[in-house]
Short mmCIF file of all heavy atoms in Angstrom, two decimals:
data_model
loop_
_atom_site.label_atom_id
_atom_site.label_comp_id
_atom_site.label_asym_id
_atom_site.label_seq_id
_atom_site.Cartn_x
_atom_site.Cartn_y
_atom_site.Cartn_z
N LEU A 16 -10.15 -13.54 -1.12
CA LEU A 16 -9.68 -12.70 -2.23
C LEU A 16 -8.33 -13.22 -2.70
O LEU A 16 -7.45 -13.50 -1.87
CB LEU A 16 -9.51 -11.24 -1.78
CG LEU A 16 -10.74 -10.42 -1.41
CD1 LEU A 16 -10.34 -9.02 -0.96
CD2 LEU A 16 -11.73 -10.34 -2.58
N VAL A 23 8.07 -4.36 -9.62
CA VAL A 23 8.52 -3.74 -10.88
C VAL A 23 10.01 -3.41 -10.79
O VAL A 23 10.47 -2.84 -9.79
CB VAL A 23 7.72 -2.45 -11.15
CG1 VAL A 23 8.24 -1.73 -12.39
CG2 VAL A 23 6.23 -2.75 -11.26
N SER A 36 4.07 0.87 -20.28
CA SER A 36 3.71 -0.19 -21.25
C SER A 36 4.16 -1.55 -20.72
O SER A 36 3.44 -2.56 -20.81
CB SER A 36 4.36 0.05 -22.60
OG SER A 36 3.94 1.28 -23.11
N ARG A 37 5.35 -1.56 -20.14
CA ARG A 37 5.88 -2.83 -19.61
C ARG A 37 5.03 -3.32 -18.42
O ARG A 37 4.75 -4.51 -18.28
CB ARG A 37 7.33 -2.61 -19.17
CG ARG A 37 8.24 -3.78 -19.42
CD ARG A 37 9.69 -3.39 -19.35
NE ARG A 37 10.01 -2.53 -18.23
CZ ARG A 37 10.07 -2.94 -16.96
NH1 ARG A 37 9.84 -4.19 -16.66
NH2 ARG A 37 10.37 -2.09 -16.00
N ASP A 49 -8.23 -10.98 -7.73
CA ASP A 49 -9.29 -10.03 -7.38
C ASP A 49 -8.70 -8.65 -7.15
O ASP A 49 -9.39 -7.63 -7.30
CB ASP A 49 -9.99 -10.47 -6.09
CG ASP A 49 -10.68 -11.81 -6.25
OD1 ASP A 49 -11.56 -11.89 -7.12
OD2 ASP A 49 -10.31 -12.77 -5.55
N GLN A 89 -9.58 -6.01 -17.17
CA GLN A 89 -9.29 -7.28 -16.48
C GLN A 89 -10.30 -7.54 -15.35
O GLN A 89 -10.19 -8.56 -14.67
CB GLN A 89 -7.84 -7.29 -15.94
CG GLN A 89 -6.81 -7.28 -17.06
CD GLN A 89 -5.37 -7.45 -16.57
OE1 GLN A 89 -4.44 -6.89 -17.14
NE2 GLN A 89 -5.15 -8.23 -15.52
N LEU A 93 -7.47 -2.65 -8.64
CA LEU A 93 -6.06 -2.35 -8.88
C LEU A 93 -5.59 -1.27 -7.92
O LEU A 93 -6.05 -0.11 -7.99
CB LEU A 93 -5.87 -1.89 -10.34
CG LEU A 93 -4.47 -1.36 -10.70
CD1 LEU A 93 -3.41 -2.44 -10.50
CD2 LEU A 93 -4.45 -0.88 -12.15
N MET A 110 2.98 19.15 -4.28
CA MET A 110 3.00 17.76 -4.73
C MET A 110 2.83 16.86 -3.50
O MET A 110 3.18 17.25 -2.38
CB MET A 110 4.34 17.44 -5.42
CG MET A 110 4.63 18.32 -6.63
SD MET A 110 6.01 17.70 -7.64
CE MET A 110 7.42 17.95 -6.57
N GLN A 155 -14.31 -5.24 -2.49
CA GLN A 155 -15.42 -6.21 -2.50
C GLN A 155 -15.55 -6.86 -3.87
O GLN A 155 -15.60 -6.16 -4.89
CB GLN A 155 -16.71 -5.46 -2.16
CG GLN A 155 -17.88 -6.37 -1.89
CD GLN A 155 -18.90 -5.69 -1.00
OE1 GLN A 155 -19.05 -4.47 -1.05
NE2 GLN A 155 -19.60 -6.47 -0.19
N THR A 156 -15.60 -8.19 -3.88
CA THR A 156 -15.84 -8.91 -5.14
C THR A 156 -16.91 -9.97 -4.86
O THR A 156 -17.43 -10.06 -3.75
CB THR A 156 -14.56 -9.62 -5.63
OG1 THR A 156 -14.29 -10.73 -4.76
CG2 THR A 156 -13.36 -8.68 -5.65
N THR A 167 1.93 3.52 2.83
CA THR A 167 2.99 3.57 1.82
C THR A 167 4.36 3.49 2.48
O THR A 167 4.69 4.33 3.31
CB THR A 167 2.88 4.88 1.00
OG1 THR A 167 1.56 4.99 0.47
CG2 THR A 167 3.88 4.90 -0.15
N PHE A 173 5.61 2.83 11.44
CA PHE A 173 4.80 3.58 12.41
C PHE A 173 3.57 2.76 12.79
O PHE A 173 2.48 2.93 12.21
CB PHE A 173 4.44 4.96 11.83
CG PHE A 173 5.68 5.79 11.57
CD1 PHE A 173 6.36 5.67 10.36
CD2 PHE A 173 6.21 6.61 12.55
CE1 PHE A 173 7.54 6.39 10.12
CE2 PHE A 173 7.38 7.33 12.33
CZ PHE A 173 8.05 7.21 11.12
N VAL A 190 0.73 -2.26 1.21
CA VAL A 190 1.90 -1.39 1.41
C VAL A 190 2.75 -1.34 0.14
O VAL A 190 3.71 -2.11 -0.02
CB VAL A 190 2.79 -1.91 2.58
CG1 VAL A 190 3.81 -0.85 2.99
CG2 VAL A 190 1.97 -2.36 3.77
N ALA A 193 9.14 1.44 -2.06
CA ALA A 193 10.38 1.54 -2.84
C ALA A 193 11.50 1.43 -1.80
O ALA A 193 12.23 2.38 -1.56
CB ALA A 193 10.42 2.85 -3.60
N VAL A 199 16.39 -4.49 3.80
CA VAL A 199 15.39 -5.54 3.59
C VAL A 199 15.07 -6.32 4.88
O VAL A 199 13.91 -6.68 5.12
CB VAL A 199 15.81 -6.48 2.43
CG1 VAL A 199 15.12 -7.84 2.50
CG2 VAL A 199 15.46 -5.81 1.11
N CYS A 220 4.38 -4.58 -1.57
CA CYS A 220 4.84 -4.65 -2.96
C CYS A 220 5.98 -3.67 -3.17
O CYS A 220 5.78 -2.45 -3.14
CB CYS A 220 3.67 -4.33 -3.90
SG CYS A 220 4.15 -4.52 -5.61
N GLN A 247 6.67 -14.79 -1.40
CA GLN A 247 7.73 -13.77 -1.31
C GLN A 247 8.55 -13.78 -2.60
O GLN A 247 8.86 -14.85 -3.12
CB GLN A 247 8.65 -14.04 -0.11
CG GLN A 247 9.61 -12.89 0.16
CD GLN A 247 10.51 -13.15 1.37
OE1 GLN A 247 11.14 -14.21 1.44
NE2 GLN A 247 10.58 -12.21 2.29
N ASP A 286 -11.28 7.75 18.67
CA ASP A 286 -12.35 6.96 18.09
C ASP A 286 -12.99 7.78 16.98
O ASP A 286 -13.66 8.77 17.25
CB ASP A 286 -13.36 6.63 19.18
CG ASP A 286 -14.51 5.82 18.63
OD1 ASP A 286 -14.39 5.33 17.48
OD2 ASP A 286 -15.51 5.70 19.31
#
Side-chain angles (χ1 to χ4, degrees):
L16 293 178
V23 176
S36 300
R37 217 164 44 73
D49 297 300
Q89 294 187 214
L93 172 61
M110 301 193 292
Q155 190 155 32
T156 71
T167 305
F173 298 86
V190 193
V199 159
C220 184
Q247 190 179 51
D286 179 12

